[in-house]
Amino acid sequence: TVEKSLAGIFKRSANGAYAPAAKLGQGAIITSDGWIVSTFVPASDAAGSWQEYVVSASGRLYDIDRIVVDAPSQLAFIHLKKANSLPVREFALRGELGAFQAVSGLEWQGNFETGFLGRMAEGIRSSDTSLPELAVSGLSGRSLILFDQSGRVIGLSRGRSVIAMDTVKALTDKLLTDGKIERARLGIRYLSLSVTTGSKQDGALLVDADKAPAVAAASPAEKAGLKAGDIITSVADVSVGNGTDIAALIAEYRPGDK
């Protein structure tokens, strides 16, 4: 069941275990050997802070031996010491989901909620800090792990916002391949034509935002000659639009990639 792919994060009690009522957050298990992702970010990712926490997953208690925090998304990737054979659910990316689709939101051994996917109304976005999100109606605003009716993980809620799994997948791939998370920077602000304007045209229109220019000074985008009013239709032959967001595509790259 999907509940088995969740983990509860607790402050360690005096006896080395935890108090069930003192849950700090929960995470989704993303690898069978102990990586979970959570919207709960520990106060510090220094090695000494790991001793303060304990994680309950798949019927066992685990110590933490590593925490990696991605600053732009404020997602914590937490590794459970000596974990193996943990249950992992498949990710569903934003482009694979349809409007008005029923979804379930779960807390670790807690609340169960239901909602429906809607059409995301997005404003001006940043290629470097914006997160692909989902519009989900009917949720309370609690921190939840969201699943579709097939049991695939579709997002992590934080308040009223729901982070789609596109960014989680890109960051997980980097972590498992490189042992760390480093983000590339493009330096643009844009509107998604198909999402924001309802246009049949896919692509991202570069626009100025308040005091922030469409193209940041000295950024890779400026060096490539991009300017306000340009429309980006693809990134490395991957079309932009129909659920594929530039910010999610850029999250897949590393500094220095071309």
Side-chain angles (χ1 to χ4, degrees), residues 97-98 100-106 112-118 134-139 144-150 152-155 162:
L97 304 171
F100 311 115
Q101 184 175 332
V103 301
S104 301
L106 283 77
F112 174 88
E113 301 181 14
T114 58
F116 292 89
L117 290 175
L134 299 173
V136 182
S137 61
L139 300 182
L144 302 168
I145 312 298
L146 273 64
F147 299 86
D148 69 4
Q149 291 181 305
S150 299
R152 299 180 300 174
V153 188
I154 68 167
V162 178

Side-chain angles (χ1 to χ4, degrees), residues 1-62:
T1 61
V2 295
E3 291 89 348
K4 293 182 179 180
S5 65
L6 304 185
I9 305 169
F10 299 85
K11 196 80 168 181
R12 188 186 299 274
S13 61
N15 64 2
Y18 69 95
K23 179 169 67 72
L24 300 172
Q26 65 269 325
I29 300 170
I30 55 175
T31 69
S32 61
D33 63 353
W35 281 106
I36 69 172
V37 61
S38 177
T39 56
F40 169 73
V41 178
S44 170
D45 59 358
S49 71
W50 300 342
Q51 301 174 12
E52 301 176 14
Y53 303 98
V54 63
V55 176
S56 178
S58 196
R60 287 187 54 187
L61 282 181
Y62 292 93

Side-chain angles (χ1 to χ4, degrees), residues 107-151:
E107 283 186 304
W108 182 86
Q109 294 190 352
N111 291 293
F112 174 88
E113 301 181 14
T114 58
F116 292 89
L117 290 175
R119 184 178 179 84
M120 194 71 201
E122 294 179 347
I124 298 174
R125 297 172 58 76
S126 163
S127 60
D128 307 326
T129 60
S130 294
L131 298 175
E133 294 186 349
L134 299 173
V136 182
S137 61
L139 300 182
S140 65
R142 294 176 180 271
S143 177
L144 302 168
I145 312 298
L146 273 64
F147 299 86
D148 69 4
Q149 291 181 305
S150 299

Side-chain angles (χ1 to χ4, degrees), residues 174-187:
K174 286 182 181 179
L175 181 60
L176 298 182
T177 301
D178 304 339
K180 58 184 177 181
I181 296 174
E182 289 185 329
R183 283 177 172 256
R185 175 174 176 261
L186 181 59

